[in-house]
Amino acid sequence: YVAARPAAGVQGSSPGLAGSDEVLVVAEPQLEQVLGEGAERLATFQGTELERTSYQRPFELVDIPDAHYVVLGDYVTVEDGTGLVHQAPAFGGDDMAVCKRYGMPVVNPIGPDGKFLEDVPLVGGKFFKDADEALTEDLKARGLLYRGGHYEHSYPHCWRCHTPLLYYALPSWYIRTTAVKERLLEENDNTNWYPETVKTGRYGEWLRNNVDWSLSRSRYWGTPLPLWVCGNDDDHITCVGSLQELGELAGRDLSNLDPHRPYVDDVTFACPQCGGEARRVPDVIDAWYDSGSMPFAQWGAPHRNKDVFEASYPAQYICEAQDQTRGWFYSLMAVGTLVFDKSSYENVLCLGLILAEDGRKMSKHLGNVLQPIPLMDEHGADAVRWFMLASGMPWAARRVGHNAIEEIVRKVLLTYWNTASFLVLYANAAEAQGQAWAPERLA
């Protein structure tokens, strides 16, 4: 890093800053790009020498105690920008990891609606993306903005309504799947995959890099997370395994209770550890856990129909699209291994995706979805069947469109139909003349 004064004549966005005696720090590869050719070098040093150096933050809008000093992170590049970035642990995975390493607090001034909290000065109540200009203008007015501009870059948007998305840190409940990582790898070794490359490639890599499963979701509908937390001590957590167990804890018959929200939320009981009131946490369970529980949950096992379940577990064969390697395929194997120490399936066939004619994934949002029944009504069910059977291996992606199906009709079905019609015509003619039908005479 270099401490330097801007080159003479270099004009920033804040006239009072550019050309002054202000000393700025930038990554050395960006010196001329940021401060101009001829910038006056005053000192050169390693980034590690700045570690824990305190600084005055540009905004005082949110109270963040004991957090304004330089930290080190290896994800910051020196190819663009200045080589220094502010940390926002509530809104970025890299930032969160760095701040956790330094024991910094995680502060979030934005509500779940994507707007700054009302009590935040200057931008309170604004949608987070709409606050950009006000914050930039405030920096400029106070002479803290050396240079500003607009950068075009890819940014995640909701695929339904096109509004910008916000990475948002939330507290969550986890399953420690890393504790059974080796068993998952063993179960994968014992599973037959078609194609084999998924077993050691896409799916195998997913297992080898396994992280704990974030189980909870902040939604209203779904399977309620069966955790009751004591009001006197957050460390007193009761995990309830059935309605019968819940009824025993609550001291009443709950066999007819609808186990969904809001009904289950009304059930409280005395904390088994201290006697305080225990209430259910508001979260529901990741729907993929429901999918992974299907092999035993469909029978009510192990509480009911245990013999039926044991006779059908594990499944000999399952089949889904390749994009389920991190979804259904994983949840089935993870839940089965966690609960029964055995994967839910022995053989799995990965199907290729059905794509639009131009190679894009079909989506109602894009308007390129082909409904199967109208497609069969127009071209015939046999044409669609033949296309699906003859257009490559099951795990190969398929581009489906009217042109492809029409080609099947012309080159395959009409050829077959004409051949069959020719056969029937001459076979009937021979029979009408009292001649024995001999296929070789038609050749």
Side-chain angles (χ1 to χ4, degrees):
Y1 286 84
V2 178
R5 290 191 180 93
V10 174
Q11 183 67 48
S13 298
S14 300
L17 178 60
S20 70
D21 290 334
E22 190 84 33
V23 176
L24 304 177
V25 176
V26 298
E28 189 170 25
Q30 288 297 309
L31 177 61
E32 293 186 354
Q33 176 69 26
V34 176
L35 301 183
E37 294 184 15
E40 182 184 356
R41 290 172 175 253
L42 300 176
T44 303
F45 43 84
Q46 295 294 316
T48 52
E49 297 178 51
L50 290 177
E51 187 177 19
R52 296 190 179 275
T53 300
S54 61
Y55 68 92
Q56 182 178 347
R57 58 179 175 156
F59 291 107
E60 300 287 342
L61 304 178
V62 180
D63 184 29
I64 311 176
D66 303 322
H68 309 300
Y69 55 85
V70 177
V71 297
L72 306 180
D74 58 9
Y75 70 94
V76 182
T77 65
V78 295
E79 286 76 30
D80 50 24
T82 63
L84 298 101
V85 299
H86 280 281
Q87 301 298 291
F91 309 106
D94 291 327
D95 297 25
M96 174 72 83
V98 169
C99 290
K100 276 189 172 182
R101 194 165 68 243
Y102 284 86
M104 287 185 167
V106 177
V107 177
N108 183 359
I110 296 180
D113 58 356
K115 296 179 180 179
F116 279 92
L117 302 178
E118 292 291 344
D119 59 353
V120 178
L122 185 64
V123 292
K126 286 182 178 288
F127 187 60
F128 76 101
K129 291 301 289 183
D130 295 337
D132 290 349
E133 295 299 330
L135 294 170
T136 303
E137 286 301 317
D138 181 69
L139 288 174
K140 185 176 180 180
R142 291 186 288 128
L144 297 179
L145 182 67
Y146 176 69
R147 183 182 300 145
H150 291 86
Y151 295 87
E152 288 191 5
H153 60 95
S154 60
Y155 191 88
H157 285 68
C158 173
W159 62 276
R160 288 184 182 274
C161 65
H162 306 291
T163 55
L165 297 177
L166 175 67
Y167 289 105
Y168 197 104
L170 290 171
S172 184
W173 295 88
Y174 287 80
I175 296 177
R176 193 176 291 114
T177 50
T178 51
V180 295
K181 175 181 175 180
E182 295 305 318
R183 284 292 300 125
L184 290 172
L185 290 169
E186 291 172 4
E187 287 302 297
N188 187 45
D189 286 340
N190 296 328
T191 303
N192 295 317
W193 284 82
Y194 301 91
E196 178 78 14
T197 52
V198 176
K199 174 178 181 176
T200 57
R202 182 170 177 171
Y203 189 74
E205 285 299 314
W206 175 250
L207 292 184
R208 283 187 286 274
N209 294 283
N210 185 271
V211 295
D212 291 334
W213 187 346
S214 177
L215 184 67
S216 59
R217 296 291 182 271
S218 299
R219 298 171 183 165
Y220 183 83
W221 181 251
T223 301
L225 194 64
L227 299 176
W228 271 254
V229 177
C230 176
N232 294 339
D233 191 333
D234 290 348
D235 291 333
H236 294 175
I237 302 169
T238 305
C239 183
V240 180
S242 65
L243 279 177
Q244 179 181 345
E245 182 183 349
L246 181 60
E248 293 171 355
L249 289 166
R252 55 194 175 99
D253 181 15
L254 298 176
S255 57
N256 294 321
L257 174 73
D258 184 336
H260 294 96
R261 304 187 71 186
Y263 315 104
V264 71
D265 294 343
D266 296 332
V267 180
T268 63
F269 54 81
C271 173
Q273 293 177 257
C274 71
E277 184 184 56
R279 302 193 68 89
R280 197 190 74 82
V281 299
D283 302 294
V284 298
I285 297 177
D286 177 11
W288 283 114
Y289 189 88
D290 288 350
S291 299
S293 303
M294 176 275 295
F296 59 93
Q298 66 175 326
W299 307 113
H303 302 295
R304 299 190 302 271
N305 302 313
K306 187 176 180 180
D307 54 338
V308 178
F309 161 68
E310 291 178 345
S312 60
Y313 188 91
Q316 292 180 312
Y317 161 79
I318 65 169
C319 176
E320 250 291 1
Q322 284 190 2
D323 59 350
Q324 292 300 319
T325 50
R326 299 180 181 184
W328 196 50
F329 296 153
Y330 174 70
S331 63
L332 279 174
M333 182 175 287
V335 174
T337 304
L338 283 164
V339 180
F340 303 106
D341 196 36
K342 189 172 183 62
S343 175
S344 299
Y345 52 88
E346 297 174 345
N347 302 279
V348 55
L349 171 62
C350 298
L351 294 178
L353 295 176
I354 303 297
L355 305 176
E357 211 159 18
D358 59 2
R360 293 188 299 173
K361 189 175 181 180
M362 286 191 181
S363 169
K364 288 184 290 185
H365 164 68
L366 297 175
N368 61 354
V369 172
L370 286 177
Q371 297 293 338
I373 299 303
L375 196 67
M376 295 180 196
D377 289 341
E378 182 172 346
H379 303 288
D382 288 334
V384 177
R385 291 192 187 102
W386 188 277
F387 174 81
M388 296 302 294
L389 288 170
S391 56
M393 293 293 187
W395 46 85
R398 285 163 168 71
R399 295 190 179 191
V400 182
H402 291 284
N403 292 332
I405 305 299
E406 287 171 355
E407 188 175 15
I408 294 293
V409 174
R410 291 196 310 272
K411 292 186 176 181
V412 178
L413 296 184
L414 289 181
T415 300
Y416 171 77
W417 180 260
N418 289 334
T419 302
S421 297
F422 180 85
L423 173 63
V424 171
L425 174 66
Y426 283 93
N428 290 337
E431 184 177 359
Q433 295 176 12
Q435 299 176 1
W437 174 58
E440 63 272 10
R441 293 176 60 189
L442 301 175

